[in-house]
Amino acid sequence: MLINVSNHPHEQWGKVQKQNAIKHWGAIKDIAFPSINPELSREELLPMVEDFFNQCQIEALKYGPDTVFHVTGEHVFCFHLVGRLLQSGYSVVASTTERIISYQADGAKISRFQFVRFRYY
C-alpha cells in the first residue's frame, strides 16, 4: 500500500505515476496534507507534525508492515514528518519530476512538471 500524503490526490496524477505506484505497491490511499499557516514558527509546527504522524501510524496499521508513505508538501513540515516516519521504521518516497518550462508571448513563464519516478528517502 502506498499512502499518499499530499495536496495532490492520486486520482489527479498522470497515468504513468499511477501505474508506477500500483506496480510497486498494489494500491494507493490518499491522506490530505494539512493546511500549514506560513506564519507558524518551527516550535508551533512540531505539535502538528506529531499529531499528523499519529494519524499516519493509524492508517499504516490498517494496511500492514509493507506500507510506504509518499510525502510532499510544505518543506519544513515534510522534513519533520519524513524524519518521524523513518525513525519509526516506515519507508518513505518522494516523486521526482522533470520541469518543462515554456514562455508565452508576454514573457510569462509556464512550468509543467512531468513525473519520472519515485525515490526512497
Side-chain angles (χ1 to χ4, degrees):
M1 171 63 70
L2 179 69
I3 297 181
N4 174 40
V5 180
S6 77
N7 285 321
H8 306 282
H10 77 277
E11 291 301 326
Q12 295 176 4
W13 291 358
K15 182 179 178 180
V16 172
Q17 187 172 8
K18 279 191 259 188
Q19 287 176 338
N20 192 297
I22 290 169
K23 174 184 168 188
H24 286 92
W25 300 292
I28 309 164
K29 161 80 175 164
D30 294 316
I31 299 178
F33 198 87
S35 178
I36 306 293
N37 180 342
E39 295 292 330
L40 291 178
S41 68
R42 178 180 175 273
E43 291 72 25
E44 292 169 314
L45 187 67
L46 290 177
M48 290 179 64
V49 172
E50 196 61 28
D51 288 345
F52 200 80
F53 168 73
N54 291 333
Q55 292 176 33
C56 289
Q57 282 191 303
I58 290 167
E59 286 299 315
L61 287 173
K62 295 177 187 176
Y63 301 109
D66 294 333
T67 299
V68 174
F69 288 90
H70 173 252
V71 179
T72 185
E74 196 275 337
H75 299 289
V76 176
F77 186 94
C78 286
F79 173 81
H80 290 290
L81 179 60
V82 167
R84 288 290 285 125
L85 290 166
L86 291 173
Q87 182 182 44
S88 296
Y90 295 106
S91 295
V92 184
V93 296
S95 293
T96 66
T97 59
E98 180 179 354
R99 182 187 306 217
I100 301 166
I101 299 172
S102 61
Y103 294 90
Q104 297 196 349
D106 66 357
K109 181 169 108 175
I110 307 294
S111 295
R112 188 171 61 86
F113 297 90
Q114 184 174 348
F115 173 80
V116 175
R117 63 177 295 224
F118 291 102
R119 180 182 295 145
Y120 280 91
Y121 279 86

